[in-house]
Short mmCIF file of all heavy atoms in Angstrom, two decimals:
data_model
loop_
_atom_site.label_atom_id
_atom_site.label_comp_id
_atom_site.label_asym_id
_atom_site.label_seq_id
_atom_site.Cartn_x
_atom_site.Cartn_y
_atom_site.Cartn_z
N MET A 10 -8.95 12.25 3.02
CA MET A 10 -8.91 12.53 4.45
C MET A 10 -7.50 13.01 4.80
O MET A 10 -6.55 12.62 4.16
CB MET A 10 -9.37 11.37 5.28
CG MET A 10 -8.33 10.16 5.12
SD MET A 10 -8.83 8.80 6.26
CE MET A 10 -8.13 9.32 7.79
N ALA A 11 -7.43 13.82 5.86
CA ALA A 11 -6.16 14.27 6.37
C ALA A 11 -5.52 13.20 7.25
O ALA A 11 -6.18 12.51 7.95
CB ALA A 11 -6.31 15.57 7.13
N CYS A 12 -4.18 13.03 7.14
CA CYS A 12 -3.50 12.10 7.91
C CYS A 12 -3.75 12.38 9.49
O CYS A 12 -3.51 13.54 9.94
CB CYS A 12 -2.00 12.17 7.65
SG CYS A 12 -1.08 11.03 8.73
N PRO A 13 -4.20 11.32 10.19
CA PRO A 13 -4.41 11.60 11.65
C PRO A 13 -3.12 11.63 12.47
O PRO A 13 -3.09 11.88 13.67
CB PRO A 13 -5.22 10.33 12.06
CG PRO A 13 -4.85 9.34 11.03
CD PRO A 13 -4.49 10.08 9.82
N GLY A 14 -1.94 11.33 11.81
CA GLY A 14 -0.66 11.40 12.45
C GLY A 14 -0.17 12.84 12.78
O GLY A 14 0.80 12.98 13.42
N GLY A 15 -0.87 13.79 12.19
CA GLY A 15 -0.51 15.18 12.52
C GLY A 15 0.43 15.82 11.52
O GLY A 15 0.78 17.02 11.66
N CYS A 16 0.79 15.13 10.44
CA CYS A 16 1.78 15.67 9.47
C CYS A 16 1.04 16.56 8.48
O CYS A 16 1.67 17.34 7.72
CB CYS A 16 2.53 14.61 8.76
SG CYS A 16 1.46 13.61 7.62
N GLY A 17 -0.27 16.51 8.47
CA GLY A 17 -1.04 17.37 7.59
C GLY A 17 -1.21 16.90 6.18
O GLY A 17 -1.89 17.54 5.34
N ASN A 18 -0.64 15.77 5.89
CA ASN A 18 -0.81 15.23 4.52
C ASN A 18 -2.30 14.85 4.26
O ASN A 18 -2.97 14.35 5.11
CB ASN A 18 0.01 13.88 4.38
CG ASN A 18 1.44 14.23 3.87
OD1 ASN A 18 1.84 15.32 3.75
ND2 ASN A 18 2.12 13.15 3.60
N ILE A 19 -2.67 15.08 3.02
CA ILE A 19 -3.96 14.61 2.59
C ILE A 19 -3.69 13.23 1.99
O ILE A 19 -2.99 13.09 1.04
CB ILE A 19 -4.67 15.54 1.56
CG1 ILE A 19 -4.86 16.93 2.19
CG2 ILE A 19 -5.95 14.93 1.07
CD1 ILE A 19 -5.75 16.89 3.42
N MET A 20 -4.27 12.18 2.59
CA MET A 20 -4.09 10.87 2.09
C MET A 20 -5.06 10.51 0.98
O MET A 20 -6.19 10.83 1.07
CB MET A 20 -4.22 9.87 3.18
CG MET A 20 -3.31 10.12 4.32
SD MET A 20 -3.39 8.74 5.50
CE MET A 20 -5.04 8.85 5.91
N ARG A 21 -4.56 9.98 -0.15
CA ARG A 21 -5.45 9.55 -1.22
C ARG A 21 -5.30 8.05 -1.29
O ARG A 21 -4.37 7.52 -1.89
CB ARG A 21 -5.07 10.20 -2.49
CG ARG A 21 -5.24 11.71 -2.46
CD ARG A 21 -5.04 12.37 -3.82
NE ARG A 21 -5.02 13.80 -3.66
CZ ARG A 21 -6.12 14.52 -3.57
NH1 ARG A 21 -7.28 13.92 -3.53
NH2 ARG A 21 -6.08 15.83 -3.47
N LEU A 22 -6.17 7.35 -0.60
CA LEU A 22 -6.07 5.93 -0.64
C LEU A 22 -6.69 5.33 -1.82
O LEU A 22 -7.84 5.65 -2.11
CB LEU A 22 -6.76 5.40 0.63
CG LEU A 22 -6.25 5.81 1.95
CD1 LEU A 22 -7.08 5.27 3.08
CD2 LEU A 22 -4.76 5.44 2.11
N PRO A 23 -5.93 4.56 -2.59
CA PRO A 23 -6.48 3.98 -3.78
C PRO A 23 -7.49 2.87 -3.44
O PRO A 23 -7.15 1.84 -2.83
CB PRO A 23 -5.28 3.39 -4.52
CG PRO A 23 -4.22 3.11 -3.49
CD PRO A 23 -4.52 4.16 -2.37
N LEU A 24 -8.73 3.07 -3.75
CA LEU A 24 -9.79 2.08 -3.41
C LEU A 24 -10.16 1.24 -4.67
O LEU A 24 -11.07 0.40 -4.53
CB LEU A 24 -10.97 2.78 -2.87
CG LEU A 24 -10.73 3.57 -1.53
CD1 LEU A 24 -11.96 4.36 -1.13
CD2 LEU A 24 -10.30 2.71 -0.42
N VAL A 25 -9.48 1.52 -5.73
CA VAL A 25 -9.81 0.79 -6.97
C VAL A 25 -9.08 -0.50 -6.95
O VAL A 25 -7.90 -0.64 -6.76
CB VAL A 25 -9.38 1.67 -8.17
CG1 VAL A 25 -9.87 0.94 -9.41
CG2 VAL A 25 -10.03 3.03 -8.04
N SER A 26 -9.84 -1.60 -7.10
CA SER A 26 -9.29 -2.99 -6.94
C SER A 26 -8.24 -3.33 -8.08
O SER A 26 -7.54 -4.31 -7.83
CB SER A 26 -10.39 -3.91 -6.88
OG SER A 26 -11.09 -3.88 -8.12
N ASN A 27 -8.08 -2.60 -9.09
CA ASN A 27 -7.14 -2.98 -10.07
C ASN A 27 -5.75 -2.31 -9.87
O ASN A 27 -4.87 -2.45 -10.71
CB ASN A 27 -7.58 -2.77 -11.50
CG ASN A 27 -7.95 -1.33 -11.81
OD1 ASN A 27 -7.67 -0.48 -10.98
ND2 ASN A 27 -8.55 -1.08 -12.96
N ARG A 28 -5.68 -1.55 -8.80
CA ARG A 28 -4.37 -0.97 -8.44
C ARG A 28 -3.90 -1.63 -7.12
O ARG A 28 -4.68 -1.96 -6.31
CB ARG A 28 -4.55 0.54 -8.25
CG ARG A 28 -4.80 1.29 -9.55
CD ARG A 28 -4.93 2.75 -9.33
NE ARG A 28 -3.71 3.25 -8.60
CZ ARG A 28 -3.68 4.50 -8.12
NH1 ARG A 28 -4.70 5.31 -8.27
NH2 ARG A 28 -2.59 4.91 -7.51
N ARG A 29 -2.65 -1.70 -6.99
CA ARG A 29 -2.01 -2.25 -5.84
C ARG A 29 -0.98 -1.29 -5.27
O ARG A 29 -0.13 -0.79 -6.04
CB ARG A 29 -1.44 -3.65 -6.10
CG ARG A 29 -2.48 -4.63 -6.40
CD ARG A 29 -1.91 -5.99 -6.66
NE ARG A 29 -2.92 -6.92 -7.02
CZ ARG A 29 -3.82 -7.55 -6.20
NH1 ARG A 29 -3.64 -7.30 -4.91
NH2 ARG A 29 -4.71 -8.29 -6.67
N PRO A 30 -0.85 -1.01 -3.97
CA PRO A 30 -1.78 -1.57 -3.04
C PRO A 30 -3.10 -0.82 -3.07
O PRO A 30 -3.18 0.29 -3.58
CB PRO A 30 -1.14 -1.32 -1.67
CG PRO A 30 -0.35 -0.10 -1.89
CD PRO A 30 0.16 -0.14 -3.38
N HIS A 31 -4.13 -1.48 -2.63
CA HIS A 31 -5.43 -0.83 -2.48
C HIS A 31 -6.07 -1.28 -1.18
O HIS A 31 -5.68 -2.26 -0.53
CB HIS A 31 -6.33 -1.09 -3.63
CG HIS A 31 -6.70 -2.58 -3.69
ND1 HIS A 31 -6.00 -3.54 -4.41
CD2 HIS A 31 -7.81 -3.23 -3.19
CE1 HIS A 31 -6.61 -4.71 -4.22
NE2 HIS A 31 -7.70 -4.55 -3.55
N TRP A 32 -7.07 -0.48 -0.89
CA TRP A 32 -7.81 -0.83 0.37
C TRP A 32 -9.22 -1.07 0.02
O TRP A 32 -9.83 -0.45 -0.92
CB TRP A 32 -7.70 0.36 1.36
CG TRP A 32 -6.35 0.50 1.98
CD1 TRP A 32 -6.01 0.01 3.25
CD2 TRP A 32 -5.21 1.08 1.47
NE1 TRP A 32 -4.74 0.22 3.49
CE2 TRP A 32 -4.17 0.92 2.42
CE3 TRP A 32 -4.88 1.70 0.30
CZ2 TRP A 32 -2.91 1.35 2.18
CZ3 TRP A 32 -3.67 2.21 0.05
CH2 TRP A 32 -2.63 1.99 1.01
N SER A 33 -9.86 -1.85 0.81
CA SER A 33 -11.29 -2.02 0.66
C SER A 33 -12.03 -1.38 1.81
O SER A 33 -11.55 -1.30 2.85
CB SER A 33 -11.69 -3.50 0.60
OG SER A 33 -11.24 -4.16 1.78
N VAL A 34 -13.18 -0.85 1.52
CA VAL A 34 -14.02 -0.12 2.56
C VAL A 34 -15.33 -0.89 2.75
O VAL A 34 -15.98 -1.22 1.79
CB VAL A 34 -14.28 1.30 2.15
CG1 VAL A 34 -15.16 1.98 3.15
CG2 VAL A 34 -13.06 2.08 1.81
N ASN A 35 -15.58 -1.15 4.01
CA ASN A 35 -16.92 -1.76 4.30
C ASN A 35 -17.64 -0.77 5.23
O ASN A 35 -17.06 -0.13 6.07
CB ASN A 35 -16.72 -3.04 5.14
CG ASN A 35 -16.15 -4.09 4.22
OD1 ASN A 35 -16.74 -4.41 3.09
ND2 ASN A 35 -15.06 -4.73 4.60
N ARG A 36 -18.88 -0.59 4.94
CA ARG A 36 -19.70 0.34 5.74
C ARG A 36 -20.72 -0.44 6.59
O ARG A 36 -21.39 -1.31 6.05
CB ARG A 36 -20.38 1.42 4.86
CG ARG A 36 -19.43 2.38 4.25
CD ARG A 36 -20.14 3.39 3.37
NE ARG A 36 -19.19 4.25 2.73
CZ ARG A 36 -18.65 5.37 3.23
NH1 ARG A 36 -19.01 5.69 4.51
NH2 ARG A 36 -17.77 6.08 2.60
N ASP A 37 -20.79 -0.11 7.86
CA ASP A 37 -21.84 -0.72 8.65
C ASP A 37 -23.18 -0.08 8.39
O ASP A 37 -23.34 0.85 7.58
CB ASP A 37 -21.45 -0.73 10.09
CG ASP A 37 -21.38 0.65 10.74
OD1 ASP A 37 -21.85 1.59 10.12
OD2 ASP A 37 -20.83 0.77 11.87
N TRP A 38 -24.21 -0.52 9.17
CA TRP A 38 -25.50 -0.02 8.87
C TRP A 38 -25.72 1.47 9.20
O TRP A 38 -26.71 2.02 8.80
CB TRP A 38 -26.56 -0.89 9.60
CG TRP A 38 -26.41 -0.86 11.08
CD1 TRP A 38 -25.49 -1.52 11.86
CD2 TRP A 38 -27.21 -0.09 11.99
NE1 TRP A 38 -25.74 -1.27 13.20
CE2 TRP A 38 -26.78 -0.39 13.31
CE3 TRP A 38 -28.26 0.80 11.87
CZ2 TRP A 38 -27.29 0.23 14.41
CZ3 TRP A 38 -28.85 1.42 12.97
CH2 TRP A 38 -28.31 1.15 14.27
N LEU A 39 -24.76 2.07 9.94
CA LEU A 39 -24.83 3.51 10.15
C LEU A 39 -23.95 4.22 9.18
O LEU A 39 -23.89 5.49 9.30
CB LEU A 39 -24.25 3.79 11.64
CG LEU A 39 -25.25 3.35 12.73
CD1 LEU A 39 -24.53 3.59 14.06
CD2 LEU A 39 -26.51 4.17 12.67
N GLY A 40 -23.39 3.58 8.18
CA GLY A 40 -22.59 4.21 7.17
C GLY A 40 -21.23 4.57 7.60
O GLY A 40 -20.48 5.25 6.91
N ARG A 41 -20.78 3.92 8.69
CA ARG A 41 -19.39 4.27 9.18
C ARG A 41 -18.42 3.34 8.40
O ARG A 41 -18.58 2.12 8.36
CB ARG A 41 -19.29 3.92 10.67
CG ARG A 41 -20.16 4.94 11.50
CD ARG A 41 -20.17 4.59 12.93
NE ARG A 41 -20.65 3.23 13.17
CZ ARG A 41 -20.95 2.76 14.38
NH1 ARG A 41 -20.78 3.49 15.42
NH2 ARG A 41 -21.35 1.52 14.58
N PRO A 42 -17.42 3.91 7.84
CA PRO A 42 -16.45 3.12 7.07
C PRO A 42 -15.45 2.39 7.92
O PRO A 42 -14.95 2.89 8.94
CB PRO A 42 -15.80 4.18 6.18
CG PRO A 42 -15.82 5.40 6.94
CD PRO A 42 -17.07 5.33 7.83
N SER A 43 -15.13 1.15 7.52
CA SER A 43 -14.04 0.46 8.12
C SER A 43 -13.08 0.08 6.96
O SER A 43 -13.53 -0.42 5.92
CB SER A 43 -14.44 -0.82 8.76
OG SER A 43 -15.24 -0.58 9.90
N LEU A 44 -11.81 0.40 7.14
CA LEU A 44 -10.87 0.16 6.04
C LEU A 44 -10.04 -1.11 6.27
O LEU A 44 -9.70 -1.41 7.43
CB LEU A 44 -9.90 1.40 6.01
CG LEU A 44 -9.65 2.02 4.64
CD1 LEU A 44 -10.95 2.52 4.12
CD2 LEU A 44 -8.73 3.18 4.76
N SER A 45 -9.79 -1.78 5.23
CA SER A 45 -8.91 -2.96 5.40
C SER A 45 -7.90 -3.03 4.18
O SER A 45 -8.34 -2.82 3.09
CB SER A 45 -9.80 -4.13 5.47
OG SER A 45 -9.21 -5.32 4.92
N PRO A 46 -6.62 -3.33 4.28
CA PRO A 46 -6.01 -3.50 5.61
C PRO A 46 -5.66 -2.15 6.29
O PRO A 46 -6.26 -1.12 5.95
CB PRO A 46 -4.71 -4.20 5.14
CG PRO A 46 -4.42 -3.61 3.85
CD PRO A 46 -5.78 -3.36 3.17
N SER A 47 -4.68 -2.24 7.23
CA SER A 47 -4.35 -0.96 7.92
C SER A 47 -3.66 0.04 7.06
O SER A 47 -3.20 -0.40 5.94
CB SER A 47 -3.49 -1.28 9.17
OG SER A 47 -2.21 -1.85 8.65
N VAL A 48 -3.61 1.21 7.44
CA VAL A 48 -2.89 2.29 6.62
C VAL A 48 -1.54 2.61 7.30
O VAL A 48 -1.46 2.79 8.45
CB VAL A 48 -3.78 3.56 6.62
CG1 VAL A 48 -3.02 4.66 5.84
CG2 VAL A 48 -5.12 3.28 6.06
N HIS A 49 -0.46 2.56 6.50
CA HIS A 49 0.83 2.81 6.95
C HIS A 49 1.41 3.91 6.10
O HIS A 49 1.74 3.67 4.93
CB HIS A 49 1.67 1.53 6.90
CG HIS A 49 2.87 1.62 7.81
ND1 HIS A 49 3.74 0.57 7.99
CD2 HIS A 49 3.42 2.64 8.45
CE1 HIS A 49 4.75 0.95 8.83
NE2 HIS A 49 4.57 2.16 9.10
N GLN A 50 1.55 5.06 6.67
CA GLN A 50 2.07 6.15 5.89
C GLN A 50 3.61 5.92 5.72
O GLN A 50 4.32 5.61 6.65
CB GLN A 50 1.93 7.49 6.64
CG GLN A 50 0.50 7.89 6.70
CD GLN A 50 0.07 8.66 5.41
OE1 GLN A 50 -0.07 7.99 4.45
NE2 GLN A 50 -0.10 9.94 5.52
N ARG A 51 4.09 6.15 4.47
CA ARG A 51 5.49 5.87 4.20
C ARG A 51 6.31 7.20 4.21
O ARG A 51 7.44 7.16 3.83
CB ARG A 51 5.63 5.16 2.91
CG ARG A 51 4.80 3.90 2.96
CD ARG A 51 5.31 2.85 1.88
NE ARG A 51 4.44 1.64 1.86
CZ ARG A 51 4.57 0.68 2.77
NH1 ARG A 51 5.51 0.76 3.71
NH2 ARG A 51 3.78 -0.33 2.66
N ASN A 52 5.69 8.24 4.60
CA ASN A 52 6.48 9.49 4.67
C ASN A 52 7.05 9.67 6.01
O ASN A 52 7.12 8.68 6.85
CB ASN A 52 5.51 10.70 4.34
CG ASN A 52 4.31 10.78 5.23
OD1 ASN A 52 4.37 10.21 6.38
ND2 ASN A 52 3.39 11.59 4.92
N ALA A 53 7.53 10.80 6.35
CA ALA A 53 8.24 11.04 7.62
C ALA A 53 7.36 10.71 8.84
O ALA A 53 7.91 10.31 9.89
CB ALA A 53 8.72 12.41 7.67
N CYS A 54 6.08 10.86 8.74
CA CYS A 54 5.27 10.77 9.97
C CYS A 54 5.08 9.32 10.34
O CYS A 54 4.82 8.96 11.49
CB CYS A 54 3.97 11.50 9.77
SG CYS A 54 2.48 10.58 9.71
N ARG A 55 5.10 8.36 9.40
CA ARG A 55 5.00 6.90 9.65
C ARG A 55 3.78 6.49 10.48
O ARG A 55 3.85 5.61 11.30
CB ARG A 55 6.33 6.44 10.32
CG ARG A 55 7.55 6.66 9.53
CD ARG A 55 8.77 5.95 10.09
NE ARG A 55 9.96 6.17 9.27
CZ ARG A 55 10.17 5.49 8.14
NH1 ARG A 55 9.33 4.58 7.68
NH2 ARG A 55 11.30 5.83 7.44
N ALA A 56 2.73 7.20 10.27
CA ALA A 56 1.57 6.88 10.98
C ALA A 56 1.08 5.50 10.57
O ALA A 56 1.18 5.11 9.38
CB ALA A 56 0.44 7.91 10.73
N HIS A 57 0.60 4.64 11.47
CA HIS A 57 0.16 3.27 11.20
C HIS A 57 -1.11 3.13 11.99
O HIS A 57 -1.07 3.11 13.22
CB HIS A 57 1.26 2.30 11.60
CG HIS A 57 1.00 0.88 11.13
ND1 HIS A 57 1.74 -0.19 11.47
CD2 HIS A 57 -0.02 0.43 10.26
CE1 HIS A 57 1.25 -1.23 10.89
NE2 HIS A 57 0.23 -0.93 10.19
N PHE A 58 -2.15 2.92 11.24
CA PHE A 58 -3.44 2.89 12.04
C PHE A 58 -4.47 2.15 11.22
O PHE A 58 -4.32 1.87 10.03
CB PHE A 58 -3.93 4.32 12.28
CG PHE A 58 -4.06 5.11 11.09
CD1 PHE A 58 -5.20 5.20 10.26
CD2 PHE A 58 -2.97 5.89 10.62
CE1 PHE A 58 -5.27 5.94 9.14
CE2 PHE A 58 -3.04 6.65 9.43
CZ PHE A 58 -4.18 6.65 8.68
N TRP A 59 -5.53 1.76 11.85
CA TRP A 59 -6.69 1.18 11.22
C TRP A 59 -7.80 2.29 11.33
O TRP A 59 -7.84 3.10 12.20
CB TRP A 59 -7.19 -0.07 11.98
CG TRP A 59 -6.31 -1.22 12.03
CD1 TRP A 59 -5.21 -1.38 12.93
CD2 TRP A 59 -6.33 -2.28 11.11
NE1 TRP A 59 -4.65 -2.59 12.57
CE2 TRP A 59 -5.24 -3.19 11.52
CE3 TRP A 59 -7.16 -2.64 10.03
CZ2 TRP A 59 -5.03 -4.33 10.85
CZ3 TRP A 59 -6.89 -3.84 9.44
CH2 TRP A 59 -5.84 -4.72 9.78
N ILE A 60 -8.71 2.09 10.36
CA ILE A 60 -9.94 2.90 10.44
C ILE A 60 -11.02 1.92 10.69
O ILE A 60 -11.31 1.01 9.81
CB ILE A 60 -10.20 3.77 9.25
CG1 ILE A 60 -9.00 4.78 9.09
CG2 ILE A 60 -11.54 4.37 9.25
CD1 ILE A 60 -9.11 5.64 7.82
N ARG A 61 -11.70 1.90 11.84
CA ARG A 61 -12.74 1.00 12.21
C ARG A 61 -13.92 1.80 12.57
O ARG A 61 -13.92 2.61 13.47
CB ARG A 61 -12.27 0.19 13.36
CG ARG A 61 -11.21 -0.88 13.05
CD ARG A 61 -11.80 -2.04 12.38
NE ARG A 61 -10.88 -2.82 11.53
CZ ARG A 61 -9.98 -3.63 12.09
NH1 ARG A 61 -9.87 -3.81 13.36
NH2 ARG A 61 -9.21 -4.26 11.26
N LYS A 62 -15.06 1.56 11.86
CA LYS A 62 -16.27 2.24 12.09
C LYS A 62 -16.10 3.76 12.18
O LYS A 62 -16.66 4.39 13.01
CB LYS A 62 -16.89 1.72 13.42
CG LYS A 62 -17.30 0.18 13.27
CD LYS A 62 -17.95 -0.28 14.50
CE LYS A 62 -18.31 -1.80 14.41
NZ LYS A 62 -18.92 -2.32 15.52
N GLY A 63 -15.34 4.24 11.26
CA GLY A 63 -15.15 5.68 11.12
C GLY A 63 -14.19 6.34 12.08
O GLY A 63 -14.05 7.48 12.11
N ALA A 64 -13.56 5.50 12.94
CA ALA A 64 -12.65 5.98 13.95
C ALA A 64 -11.27 5.52 13.69
O ALA A 64 -11.06 4.38 13.24
CB ALA A 64 -13.17 5.63 15.31
N VAL A 65 -10.27 6.28 14.01
CA VAL A 65 -8.88 5.92 13.93
C VAL A 65 -8.48 5.06 15.09
O VAL A 65 -8.70 5.34 16.24
CB VAL A 65 -7.95 7.11 13.82
CG1 VAL A 65 -6.52 6.70 13.85
CG2 VAL A 65 -8.27 7.88 12.53
N THR A 66 -7.92 3.86 14.79
CA THR A 66 -7.37 3.02 15.81
C THR A 66 -5.88 2.88 15.51
O THR A 66 -5.48 2.36 14.50
CB THR A 66 -7.99 1.60 15.76
OG1 THR A 66 -9.39 1.77 15.97
CG2 THR A 66 -7.48 0.78 16.87
N TRP A 67 -5.07 3.29 16.46
CA TRP A 67 -3.64 3.24 16.23
C TRP A 67 -3.01 1.87 16.41
O TRP A 67 -3.41 1.14 17.30
CB TRP A 67 -2.89 4.21 17.19
CG TRP A 67 -3.21 5.63 16.83
CD1 TRP A 67 -4.13 6.46 17.49
CD2 TRP A 67 -2.74 6.47 15.78
NE1 TRP A 67 -4.17 7.63 16.88
CE2 TRP A 67 -3.28 7.68 15.81
CE3 TRP A 67 -1.73 6.15 14.80
CZ2 TRP A 67 -3.00 8.70 14.90
CZ3 TRP A 67 -1.48 7.15 13.89
CH2 TRP A 67 -2.10 8.39 13.98
N CYS A 68 -2.07 1.55 15.53
CA CYS A 68 -1.30 0.35 15.65
C CYS A 68 -0.19 0.59 16.63
O CYS A 68 0.63 1.52 16.38
CB CYS A 68 -0.70 -0.05 14.34
SG CYS A 68 -1.70 -1.12 13.37
N ARG A 69 -0.05 -0.20 17.62
CA ARG A 69 0.99 -0.01 18.56
C ARG A 69 2.14 -1.07 18.52
O ARG A 69 3.06 -0.96 19.31
CB ARG A 69 0.40 0.08 20.03
CG ARG A 69 -0.60 1.21 20.11
CD ARG A 69 -0.78 1.78 21.47
NE ARG A 69 -1.76 2.73 21.56
CZ ARG A 69 -1.58 4.03 21.17
NH1 ARG A 69 -0.44 4.46 20.79
NH2 ARG A 69 -2.59 4.92 21.33
N ASN A 70 1.98 -1.99 17.63
CA ASN A 70 3.12 -2.86 17.53
C ASN A 70 3.35 -3.12 16.02
O ASN A 70 2.47 -2.97 15.18
CB ASN A 70 2.96 -4.21 18.24
CG ASN A 70 1.78 -5.04 17.67
OD1 ASN A 70 1.90 -5.58 16.54
ND2 ASN A 70 0.66 -5.02 18.37
N SER A 71 4.63 -3.45 15.69
CA SER A 71 5.05 -3.44 14.25
C SER A 71 4.32 -4.53 13.45
O SER A 71 4.24 -4.47 12.27
CB SER A 71 6.56 -3.50 14.16
OG SER A 71 6.89 -4.75 14.85
N GLY A 72 3.84 -5.55 14.15
CA GLY A 72 3.31 -6.66 13.42
C GLY A 72 1.80 -6.48 13.16
O GLY A 72 1.19 -7.34 12.47
N CYS A 73 1.26 -5.38 13.63
CA CYS A 73 -0.16 -5.21 13.53
C CYS A 73 -0.69 -5.21 12.08
O CYS A 73 -0.22 -4.34 11.31
CB CYS A 73 -0.47 -3.85 14.24
SG CYS A 73 -2.21 -3.38 14.05
N GLY A 74 -1.57 -6.03 11.80
CA GLY A 74 -2.23 -5.96 10.52
C GLY A 74 -1.35 -6.63 9.34
O GLY A 74 -1.81 -6.64 8.25
N HIS A 75 -0.18 -7.02 9.71
CA HIS A 75 0.68 -7.62 8.63
C HIS A 75 1.28 -8.92 9.07
O HIS A 75 2.45 -9.05 9.45
CB HIS A 75 1.83 -6.64 8.29
CG HIS A 75 1.31 -5.31 7.85
ND1 HIS A 75 0.80 -5.08 6.63
CD2 HIS A 75 1.15 -4.08 8.59
CE1 HIS A 75 0.34 -3.78 6.56
NE2 HIS A 75 0.69 -3.15 7.72
N PRO A 76 0.47 -9.95 9.09
CA PRO A 76 0.98 -11.27 9.59
C PRO A 76 2.06 -11.79 8.73
O PRO A 76 2.08 -11.55 7.58
CB PRO A 76 -0.35 -12.15 9.54
CG PRO A 76 -1.15 -11.51 8.54
CD PRO A 76 -0.94 -9.95 8.69
ZN1 LIG B 118 0.99 11.83 8.92
#
């Protein structure tokens, strides 16, 4: 998927559990994906967001998703 932060990067999230870091995807009954944990781009754009039910939810504080 393309980064929603606007930098144009194509993100390749490793979903394979034997690699770290990795993300897990859960789909609801409509097939909408939710990603866990949040995604934090480490490039210049520094986008930090969740994907919940197929929609991007922005993190607005630094502690979000990282207790
Ligand atoms: Zn970006």
